[in-house]
Amino acid sequence: MDDLFNTCLAGAESRIAELRATLEHHNRLYYNEAAPEISDADYDKLFRELEELEAKHPEFADDNSPTRRVGGTPLESFQQVRHLVPMLSIDDVFELKDAGVPEAELIDFYRRLQKNLGRENIDVTVEPKIDGVAVSLVYREGKLGYAATRGDGTTGDDVTNNVRTIRTIPLDLGADAPALLEVRGEIFMPNESFAAMNAERDEAGLPTFANPRNATAGALKQLDPRNVAKRPLAFLAHGLGAYEGPELPTERDFHELLDRLRIPRNQPVMTTATLDGLLDCVRRIDTDRHDLGYGTDGAVVKVLDRAEREQLGYTSRAPRWAAAYKFLPEQKETVLRDITIQVGRTGVLTPVAELEPVLVSGTTVARATLHNEEEIQRKDVRIGDTVLIEKAGEIIPAVVKVVVEKRSADARPFSLLEHIGGKCPSCGGPVAKEEGFVAWRCTNFECPAQAVSKIKQFASRKALDIEGVGETVAEALVRHNHCRTPLDLFTLTAETLGSLNLGSEEEPRRFGDKNAAKVVESLGRAREKPLDRWLFAMGIRQVGESAAKELARLHPDLGSVAQSTILQDVVAAAKLEAERKLVSPRNKDNPPADADEKERRQQLHDDLKARIDDLAAGLQPYRLSPDAGPVVAESVVEFFNSEAGRHVIERMAQLGLDPRSANYIPKPAEADSSGLPLAGKTFVITGTLSMGRDEMKAFLESKGAKVSGSVSSKTDYLLSGEGGGSKRDKAEKAGVKVIDEAGLAELLG
Ligand code: IVH
């Protein structure tokens, strides 16, 4: 019985081993060699058989089984591993711009090799420098032991689970592997996969990556390998770390070993033994590298012979036997046909150059970002200009500069605001530039280009606190056309929400009825939320939490905010104040030319002052807090005056939404002064009187008068004491009655 059991067990063990080897073999044919020999269905059948056997026999579990490529539970954080041999970097030598010999630094490097080895001909290899993330793969007895990032060169992150998801990396090298093999190489994302992934993310409303390197680094930092498996990562080996096995006298022997073990390696690798040959090789790599399909930014030159490498030795940070020759990015001239405006997810308006298509660093470029209007002005970019294009980080096209010599007479300067007619090109909403920022933004709460971020803000805790509506749900709602604006949330039914697909088409994930019910309930509560929360939720520029509170203190409901005379007066007063400063005859930046102008401007100034005082007196009872100052008032007035703002009010009425203020304080009733002797009269005070100015002002006000700071057509009396010079002249000229304190006593009877 025991024997039979053992035979079965041995059978299972060998079948498991056989299946693992077979699956890895087909994996390699499929991913590394693009030459599959069996169908996907047959592969899946073998895979399932292995899964079942492994489940039945946990005693034969192995992390390097093909079933474990995407496995393991998400990590809390990465373990640190100490590198067996330090992971050094390489010294950069740069291609020089505008110099006689662009390769001067590279030539110096080769001359140093010649000098240090005391020979004319040094064998070196030349290969592309991959723009990726360095990793070390450690195989013991052929099995992948761990994979680690470079870290600080001495210790790095253990990213084994993440690296296992890369199908081209073998997990088991087979029987004739050396006892210890540390392979160093680069993890990267091929250009095409990168572009497809970015497009998909953009579609899903996720932030996109600036370049494949960042996307790769971001993927490797994921703690859940299932997330890594979705990223199209690739690996190529380029160096040897720790090693125990048959001698490898040259780099060529190392490459043969990699090929035999079927570890994918960086190619092409050229070999040369002369300086001219070296220059030839790097030039060839520079022209050919764009066809590789992944990012490269230079050529790595290494001494071929390992004994010679040891002889040359190391500096504290890099080997003396290697150099990374960094290419200048390729630049091409083309014509800028037009500038268009893109509205980003947060409402930022980005100008984009529409170009005559041109081949740069291996791909056709027809558009390039111009970042913002200031950048356009700084570079003096005009429509019709010939411009120089390069790919920043060899990926994202950018306009370097204008070729001014080629500017045609009809090249047109560009004004963003003029171009868009002052309105958001996506929704026609108002646009504004925040102080200290270079970018124009669309401020419309209903802008469809910003739907996701606006819905998120609208539903957030400090706004309307709509439970369950975060980034993912907002994205799904927009993607499936259920919402174009936050107010559309109020049209959703429990059914629509319940069957909302948060996943992809291939991997659907329902939002679910329970969650849907929660959202519907929250929406009901949101209807009753006070005005300040609604104002904050609408994301009107300048209206933060405290401004929203102050606005709600001043107004009973949204309609009154939209039509607010308080806010209109604040805006008007601020505008008059700016004007007053400008026309003041004491304005040092703009002094009056002669006495005539001085007098004219003084008059204008005093009229403005009087109007400002009037407005201030009207606003005074509200005791406005600085939280709703002119900047806030202007933004709110502008918003509700815009078509977009009017539409919000209309739409809310349709949806039966009428938020009320919870902290409204009606304007304190003005004391009834109609029975007082000076009711309706406006005074201006000047000169020295029997009491102080403030005292006199209070006294006059107690008798029902208004007191203003300067004489205007609205002034009824100038109360003048000793030496009331200029105001007196002015009053007399304007036909305003001038009285002294005796005259006042008479008026009061
Ligand atoms: S050989 C002693 N070859 O660039 C270091 N490195 O800037 C030997 N790299 O750390 C490294 N492509 O991560 C080598 N073909 C290549 C490379 C390459 C990219 C990376 C590598 C290195 C870094 C230095």
Side-chain angles (χ1 to χ4, degrees):
M1 190 63 192
D2 261 9
D3 274 358
L4 183 61
F5 178 73
N6 282 335
T7 323
C8 280
L9 204 60
E13 185 174 18
S14 67
R15 180 62 183 158
I16 286 174
E18 186 185 7
L19 282 168
R20 285 178 183 160
T22 311
L23 283 165
E24 277 300 90
H25 169 73
H26 289 298
N27 214 359
R28 201 160 52 231
L29 288 175
Y30 184 89
Y31 288 103
N32 300 36
E33 285 154 42
E37 281 174 0
I38 61 171
S39 71
D40 289 3
D42 287 343
Y43 182 92
D44 290 344
K45 221 164 107 191
L46 293 171
F47 195 90
R48 273 196 303 277
E49 184 187 346
L50 177 58
E51 270 182 329
E52 277 162 28
L53 274 176
E54 285 178 341
K56 244 191 256 168
H57 297 281
E59 66 273 26
F60 303 134
D62 184 342
D63 280 346
N64 284 323
S65 168
T67 56
R68 299 276 184 100
R69 282 218 181 248
V70 187
T73 36
L75 300 174
E76 292 278 322
S77 64
F78 293 112
Q79 299 270 328
Q80 297 295 299
V81 269
R82 210 182 159 78
H83 295 301
L84 301 173
V85 177
M87 273 180 95
L88 298 176
S89 70
I90 334 178
D91 281 333
D92 287 331
V93 295
F94 291 97
E95 179 180 4
L96 303 175
K97 204 178 172 179
D98 308 325
V101 187
E103 291 103 344
E105 290 190 358
L106 179 64
I107 295 170
D108 285 347
F109 167 73
Y110 196 76
R111 294 250 151 85
R112 270 200 305 280
L113 294 180
Q114 290 173 321
K115 187 169 147 250
N116 288 335
L117 291 172
R119 272 206 334 275
E120 174 75 16
N121 295 106
I122 315 293
D123 290 290
V124 291
T125 56
V126 190
E127 62 193 89
K129 180 171 173 355
I130 305 167
D131 196 9
V133 176
V135 284
S136 147
L137 311 178
V138 173
Y139 292 91
R140 286 188 193 275
E141 304 301 341
K143 310 265 193 206
L144 178 65
Y146 67 83
T149 60
R150 186 217 303 271
D152 63 5
T154 309
T155 42
D157 289 342
D158 181 336
V159 288
T160 314
N161 288 346
N162 289 350
V163 164
R164 266 205 207 99
T165 66
I166 303 171
R167 307 286 161 155
T168 55
I169 295 182
L171 301 175
D172 190 341
L173 302 175
D176 59 347
L180 169 66
L181 173 66
E182 180 184 11
V183 179
R184 277 147 184 205
E186 221 67 11
I187 294 189
F188 59 93
M189 213 177 266
N191 294 341
E192 251 176 55
S193 326
F194 168 75
M197 182 192 73
N198 248 0
E200 220 171 87
R201 288 177 69 89
D202 196 38
E203 185 85 355
L206 295 170
T208 54
F209 291 101
N211 56 54
R213 222 201 77 83
N214 288 0
T216 304
L220 284 178
K221 285 204 187 88
Q222 298 287 320
L223 293 166
D224 186 346
R226 280 169 301 185
N227 291 336
V228 188
K230 289 181 209 148
R231 308 274 176 90
L233 299 177
F235 169 84
L236 289 173
H238 56 54
L240 180 63
Y243 178 71
E244 285 166 27
E247 295 262 310
L248 301 170
T250 72
E251 187 79 352
R252 208 175 285 131
D253 300 299
F254 170 56
H255 290 157
E256 276 165 16
L257 175 72
L258 291 175
D259 291 346
R260 194 157 49 76
L261 299 174
R262 299 175 191 269
I263 298 174
R265 66 177 171 94
N266 187 31
Q267 306 218 47
V269 180
M270 302 177 214
T271 317
T272 176
T274 65
L275 181 56
D276 283 343
L278 172 61
L279 297 182
D280 202 41
C281 288
V282 296
R283 282 172 201 151
R284 262 177 38 214
I285 285 183
D286 196 11
T287 49
D288 295 351
R289 68 196 175 104
H290 301 301
D291 299 331
L292 288 172
Y294 44 84
T296 53
D297 58 350
V300 178
V301 184
K302 301 175 203 172
V303 169
L304 181 77
D305 188 271
R306 290 195 175 269
E308 283 180 353
R309 288 187 182 182
E310 292 318 308
Q311 206 180 323
L312 287 160
Y314 300 79
T315 68
S316 61
R317 45 175 297 275
R320 288 206 181 84
W321 47 262
Y325 181 64
K326 297 296 260 314
F327 298 123
L328 286 171
E330 186 184 11
Q331 298 188 332
K332 282 276 180 71
E333 279 181 17
T334 190
V335 174
L336 186 146
R337 287 183 188 157
D338 197 5
I339 295 176
T340 54
I341 305 295
Q342 242 172 19
V343 188
R345 274 166 46 80
T346 55
V348 173
L349 307 186
T350 306
V352 177
E354 304 289 341
L355 307 164
E356 193 69 50
V358 61
L359 196 71
V360 189
S361 304
T363 59
T364 305
V365 173
R367 310 183 82 202
T369 175
L370 288 164
H371 303 289
N372 54 59
E373 197 176 24
E374 226 164 72
E375 174 98 352
I376 296 178
Q377 247 100 68
R378 201 168 50 74
K379 290 183 175 158
D380 189 19
V381 176
R382 304 185 189 179
I383 297 169
D385 268 343
T386 297
V387 291
L388 204 59
I389 303 294
E390 75 174 27
K391 281 205 249 162
E394 299 279 325
I395 284 292
I396 312 262
V399 173
V400 181
K401 63 169 192 181
V402 173
V403 185
V404 185
E405 309 85 79
K406 297 197 178 167
R407 173 167 285 165
S408 72
D410 52 3
R412 284 177 290 133
F414 176 82
S415 148
L416 192 144
L417 213 50
E418 214 171 274
H419 183 88
I420 60 174
K423 290 189 291 195
C424 168
S426 167
C427 70
V431 298
K433 196 194 279 195
E434 258 146 86
E435 222 172 284
F437 286 86
V438 287
W440 287 91
R441 272 170 187 275
C442 165
T443 61
N444 178 14
F445 158 71
E446 294 193 302
C447 177
Q450 304 174 62
V452 173
S453 67
K454 291 288 184 196
I455 291 171
K456 245 175 64 190
Q457 141 94 4
F458 188 75
S460 66
R461 206 129 53 81
K462 289 182 169 176
L464 294 179
D465 193 15
I466 302 167
E467 219 180 313
V469 181
E471 173 124 6
T472 315
V473 172
E475 260 155 28
L477 287 169
V478 172
R479 188 163 64 239
H480 297 294
N481 286 327
H482 296 312
C483 287
R484 275 165 59 87
T485 85
L487 290 176
D488 291 338
L489 287 171
F490 291 94
T491 66
L492 296 173
T493 61
E495 291 74 51
T496 312
L497 278 162
S499 55
L500 181 67
N501 179 8
L502 303 181
S504 60
E505 226 163 279
E506 305 86 62
E507 269 184 80
R509 187 158 65 84
R510 261 176 57 104
F511 187 48
D513 297 335
K514 239 168 132 185
N515 290 326
K518 268 193 207 153
V519 173
V520 171
E521 213 180 293
S522 289
L523 283 166
R525 278 199 299 274
R527 283 180 173 271
E528 307 305 322
K529 285 258 161 20
L531 179 63
D532 59 303
R533 295 282 207 108
W534 273 87
L535 285 168
F536 179 63
M538 293 167 80
I540 301 169
R541 200 172 55 95
Q542 308 292 352
V543 181
E545 271 177 281
S546 40
K549 267 250 151 49
E550 175 68 356
L551 290 169
R553 182 181 72 83
L554 298 167
H555 306 92
D557 51 33
L558 192 67
S560 2
V561 177
Q563 318 232 321
S564 171
T565 50
I566 303 175
L567 298 178
Q568 282 164 21
D569 284 356
V570 171
V571 173
K575 285 202 173 123
L576 292 174
E577 178 60 20
E579 216 181 310
R580 182 191 70 77
K581 282 196 179 132
L582 196 71
V583 302
S584 165
R586 285 167 297 283
N587 182 340
K588 290 205 182 69
D589 296 328
N590 175 27
D594 51 37
D596 252 13
E597 185 185 335
K598 186 172 170 192
E599 200 188 320
R600 204 163 39 75
R601 277 173 52 177
Q602 183 68 49
Q603 176 68 44
L604 219 54
H605 172 272
D606 292 349
D607 282 345
L608 287 167
K609 181 79 174 67
R611 284 165 65 194
I612 294 166
D613 286 346
D614 261 2
L615 286 169
L619 289 169
Q620 201 267 333
Y622 296 105
R623 304 188 179 284
L624 296 180
S625 113
D627 287 335
V631 178
V632 172
E634 193 184 335
S635 174
V636 174
V637 168
E638 186 193 15
F639 178 73
F640 286 108
N641 274 343
S642 74
E643 209 172 300
R646 282 196 293 275
H647 181 259
V648 169
I649 296 286
E650 226 169 80
R651 185 85 201 289
M652 285 181 64
Q654 278 167 11
L655 292 165
L657 297 164
D658 182 18
R660 301 297 172 117
S661 173
N663 59 325
Y664 174 58
I665 301 174
K667 180 185 175 184
E670 268 176 69
D672 183 13
S673 61
S674 56
L676 297 171
L678 301 182
K681 301 291 180 216
T682 301
F683 279 71
V684 172
I685 312 172
T686 188
T688 314
L689 299 159
S690 64
M691 52 178 113
R693 283 269 171 102
D694 290 341
E695 235 176 314
M696 181 56 86
K697 183 167 179 257
F699 173 73
L700 290 171
E701 280 169 355
S702 76
K703 299 292 174 200
K706 276 214 298 187
V707 179
S708 169
S710 53
V711 176
S712 75
S713 52
K714 287 189 184 157
T715 316
D716 296 296
Y717 297 102
L718 179 72
L719 173 62
S720 178
E722 286 288 305
S726 72
K727 280 191 184 158
R728 205 188 169 108
D729 297 346
K730 201 167 151 211
E732 275 160 5
K733 241 182 240 163
V736 170
K737 243 187 223 146
V738 181
I739 56 171
D740 57 10
E741 281 187 77
L744 177 64
E746 226 167 274
L747 269 179
L748 290 167

